């Protein structure tokens, strides 16, 4: 499955992911199942959302279809984990979090079971669908679950590595994924991925942008533009929201003295909240937070709605200039 | 002269009495607690822990053990009493109900030996038990999973998701036992959100349903011995019980779902329960 394609030099999983993190996650489910016969996928009517049709046909006994029933899906995942199985629950971010939140808190987090939750269509990927289908509070919720590891990969490649890295975890994890359109690759195919260890994408000593998920590409674009003006912008891809990479945040604060966070999430409780809480306690630092305000998002094309709420290169640029002024 | 069978039934009745006495003991130590749903479940728990379930109390995480999930987690005093009598925990733990840093709180905690899942939020146990039963099947293991449900908690919709799933997966290695004491916290179940016709509902959902008197030890043992009740269906045992069974002033009253236990109340309860044979 990890073999290289001769024509491009890209591994099969990278070719097949079509630059979509939800598909890369589904491919990683297959790889994890190949490595460990305890791995079992649980679908909540999400087989094709995760590209699991081929996996289902090849290994029908390794995929449990729970139906549109997130509460029982979550409970079953916990019960399976108690028997030594390694369930990977594949759901829609807006539903697998809040619909089954009590099962997630009690059966999975409180009971500390090894359940991996893949959450597709995070943020406002489904902007056209309306507020019922947005997940812009999921990181705040997950971050407040003891025992939970919370990961927001920046692209399909990082999703592959993050999903495989859950093998090492002894507790539950939440991986937030994108939807049905391409996410520009920004990480290396063979990148060294470690849960809880931020990836520095650009060096810089004047200001730091800490971004996660789909806000990493605009953060890089903003940084490169500012670098052209002689401003050194450090970019941290903070793919792990919890446990937060304290050392990287504190070093950035000490080295650059100004921090912008960027996430497709409300600015309270998620990445910005995590960074602000740490800095308030240990090293008060001037900050700006790029993300959703305290409201339900409007309907529209995802890219347009992201711009509407200032989740864009322009907004990151503005935030940097405010702090540098 | 009694047969071995009669001796077993009599011994299980003694186990049930021991559970009830220890429920009231634990609640007196805590000052209050859920006597009603703990005592309605006592005979069922006695039959499970001292006859039906295959367990190794000295090896609580033995992979081949049968799994028991107390979905109606507020009956934890009765579960703790059963676990102590079976030897999973020390008898002294029963005097630590609600106590500072105790493993024995109002609801089961997976960190206590013999407890398979932390429960208490209602409507969780059935789906967790389905996961356990699936785990057995997928790993080719023959352990069985039993979940005890409360009647009030069947008002939670999550149970009906689980009811569908267990039948869909044809989980004959899964048994649900309903402690149907007909009373919930604020009044009779039938006056709040009625469950009836309940046997018909579970039958329609694809379960093999049996109804028994949940205080008739011979009937309980017979129903458990006959498991699975169908080759390709999950089994549902609807056990008709009496809330607060064994203590007249606590029986059949929502006031004794969860109540204070003074020394005076405790003495009256223990006098009614008696010491057994």
């Amino acid at each position: 499955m990890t073999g290289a394609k001769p024509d491009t030099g890209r591994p099969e999983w990278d070719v097949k992911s079509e630059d979509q993190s939800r598909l890369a996650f589904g491919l990683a489910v297959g790889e994890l199942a190949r490595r460990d016969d305890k791995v079992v996928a649980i679908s909540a009517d999400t087989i094709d959302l995760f590209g699991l049709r081929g996996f289902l046909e090849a290994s029908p006994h390794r995929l449990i279809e729970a139906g549109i029933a997130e509460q029982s899906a979550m409970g079953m995942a916990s019960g399976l984990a108690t028997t030594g199985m390694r369930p990977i629950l594949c759901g829609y971010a807006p539903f697998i979090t809040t619909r089954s939140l009590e099962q997630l808190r009690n059966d999975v987090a409180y009971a500390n079971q090894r359940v991996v939750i893949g959450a597709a269509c995070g943020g406002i990927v489904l902007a056209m669908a309306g507020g019922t289908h947005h997940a812009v509070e999921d990181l705040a919720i997950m971050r407040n679950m003891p025992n939970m590891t919370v990961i927001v990969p920046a692209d399909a490649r990082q999703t592959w590595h993050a999903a495989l890295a859950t093998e090492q975890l002894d507790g539950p994890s939440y991986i937030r994924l994108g939807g049905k359109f391409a996410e520009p690759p920004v990480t290396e195919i063979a990148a060294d991925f470690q849960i809880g260890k931020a990836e520095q994408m650009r060096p810089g000593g004047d200001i730091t942008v800490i971004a996660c998920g789909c806000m990493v590409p605009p953060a890089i674009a903003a940084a490169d533009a500012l670098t052209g003006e002689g401003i050194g912008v450090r970019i941290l891809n903070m793919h792990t929201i919890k446990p937060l990479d304290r050392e990287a945040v504190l070093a950035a604060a000490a080295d650059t003295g100004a921090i912008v966070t960027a996430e497709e999430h409300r600015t309270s409780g998620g990445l910005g909240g995590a960074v602000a809480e740490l800095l308030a306690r240990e090293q008060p630092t001037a900050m700006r937070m790029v993300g959703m305000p305290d409201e339900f998002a409007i309907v529209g094309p995802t890219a347009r709605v992201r711009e509407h709420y200032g989740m864009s290169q322009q907004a990151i640029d503005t935030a940097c200039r405010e702090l540098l002024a | 002269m009694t047969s071995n069978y009669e001796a077993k039934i009599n011994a299980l009745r003694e186990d049930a009495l021991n559970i009830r006495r220890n429920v009231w003991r634990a609640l007196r130590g805590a000052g209050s607690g859920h006597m009603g749903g703990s005592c309605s479940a006592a005979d069922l728990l006695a039959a499970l822990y001292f006859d039906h379930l295959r367990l190794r109390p000295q090896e609580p995480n033995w992979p081949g053990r049968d799994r028991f999930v107390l979905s109606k987690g507020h009956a934890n005093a009765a579960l703790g009493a059963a676990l102590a009598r079976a030897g999973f925990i020390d008898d002294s733990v029963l005097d630590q109900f609600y106590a500072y840093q105790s493993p024995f709180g109002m609801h089961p905690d997976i960190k206590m030996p013999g407890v398979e899942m932390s429960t208490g939020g209602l409507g969780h146990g059935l789906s967790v038990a389905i996961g356990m039963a699936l785990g057995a099947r997928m790993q080719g293991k023959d352990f069985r999973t039993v979940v005890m449900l409360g009647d009030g908690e069947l008002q939670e919709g999550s149970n009906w998701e689980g009811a569908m799933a267990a039948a869909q997966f044809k989980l004959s290695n899964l048994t649900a036992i309903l402690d149907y004491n007909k009373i919930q916290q604020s009044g009779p179940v039938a006056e709040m959100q009625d469950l009836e016709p309940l046997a018909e509902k579970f039958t329609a959902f694809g379960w093999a349903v049996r109804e028994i008197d949940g205080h008739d030890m011979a009937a309980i043992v017979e129903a458990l011995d006959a498991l699975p009740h169908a080759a390709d269906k999950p089994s549902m045992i609807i056990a008709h019980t009496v809330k607060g069974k064994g203590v007249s002033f606590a029986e059949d009253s929502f006031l004794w779902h969860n109540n204070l236990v003074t020394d005076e109340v405790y003495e009256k309860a223990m006098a009614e329960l008696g010491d057994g044979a």
Side-chain angles (χ1 to χ4, degrees), chain B residues 150-224:
Chain B
D151 46 13
E153 77 165 329
L154 287 183
Q155 293 160 351
E156 292 280 7
S158 52
N159 287 294
W160 301 96
E161 293 184 6
M164 269 195 288
Q168 175 80 21
F169 301 142
K170 305 187 191 311
L171 291 176
S172 58
N173 60 351
L174 173 71
T175 300
I177 302 178
L178 174 64
D179 177 12
Y180 200 1
N181 60 37
K182 320 288 191 298
I183 309 259
Q184 60 191 95
Q185 180 165 270
S186 306
V189 174
E191 293 178 15
M192 306 196 68
Q193 285 292 327
D194 196 4
L195 303 174
E196 292 298 333
L198 191 57
E200 288 87 338
K201 282 178 184 156
F202 274 98
T203 301
F205 269 72
W207 289 59
V209 181
R210 277 198 192 193
E211 294 192 69
I212 62 169
D213 174 347
H215 301 305
D216 178 342
M217 192 58 77
I220 299 169
V221 168
E222 187 183 0
L224 293 175

Side-chain angles (χ1 to χ4, degrees), chain A residues 70 74 92-102 104 117 119 135 137-138 141-142 174:
Chain A
E70 285 81 9
M74 191 68 72
Y92 278 95
F95 313 134
I96 205 65
T97 51
T98 51
R99 171 62 69 99
S100 46
L101 184 53
E102 196 178 84
L104 199 160
I117 301 165
E137 62 286 288
D138 57 331
I141 293 167
M142 291 303 139
Y174 177 80

Side-chain angles (χ1 to χ4, degrees), chain A residues 4-62:
Chain A
K5 294 277 276 187
D7 52 340
T8 62
R10 292 164 66 198
E12 190 179 350
W13 60 263
D14 192 51
V15 175
K16 284 191 171 175
S17 75
E18 298 172 17
D19 296 337
Q20 297 184 30
S21 54
R22 64 181 178 103
L23 297 177
F25 186 87
L27 290 166
V29 169
E31 173 64 12
L32 287 164
R34 191 186 64 76
R35 295 181 185 185
D36 182 351
D37 65 7
K38 303 294 187 192
V39 168
V40 55
I42 303 176
S43 156
D45 194 9
T46 50
I47 288 171
D48 295 309
L49 180 63
F50 283 80
L52 290 169
R53 184 71 56 183
F55 176 70
L56 172 66
E57 284 166 4
S59 313
H61 56 294
R62 305 290 292 280

Side-chain angles (χ1 to χ4, degrees), chain B residues 16 51 53 58 91 100 112 120 145 152 164 166 172 191 210 219 222 230 251 275:
Chain B
D51 187 50
L53 296 174
Q58 302 309 313
D91 180 77
Y100 178 61
M112 189 159 95
T145 301
M164 269 195 288
S172 58
E191 293 178 15
R210 277 198 192 193
E222 187 183 0
E251 286 188 356
D275 294 333

Side-chain angles (χ1 to χ4, degrees), chain B residues 103-180:
Chain B
F104 190 34
M106 183 183 285
H107 301 106
D109 189 322
I110 197 169
K111 293 192 286 296
M112 189 159 95
V115 174
E116 299 289 356
M117 179 49 61
S118 302
T119 54
L122 295 174
H124 287 241
L126 178 54
S127 291
V128 169
I130 290 167
M132 293 173 177
L134 284 168
R137 177 194 284 173
M138 297 184 84
Q139 296 172 84
K141 294 180 178 175
D142 67 353
F143 68 77
R144 304 162 301 175
T145 301
V146 177
V147 55
M148 182 179 287
L149 306 170
D151 46 13
E153 77 165 329
L154 287 183
Q155 293 160 351
E156 292 280 7
S158 52
N159 287 294
W160 301 96
E161 293 184 6
M164 269 195 288
Q168 175 80 21
F169 301 142
K170 305 187 191 311
L171 291 176
S172 58
N173 60 351
L174 173 71
T175 300
I177 302 178
L178 174 64
D179 177 12
Y180 200 1

Side-chain angles (χ1 to χ4, degrees), chain A residues 261-287:
Chain A
T261 58
E263 62 196 307
E264 191 177 44
H265 186 268
R266 294 206 180 90
T267 51
S268 57
L271 172 62
V275 170
E277 288 164 22
L278 173 66
L279 293 178
R281 281 195 304 269
E282 305 209 10
Q283 198 168 325
T285 302
M287 278 188 72

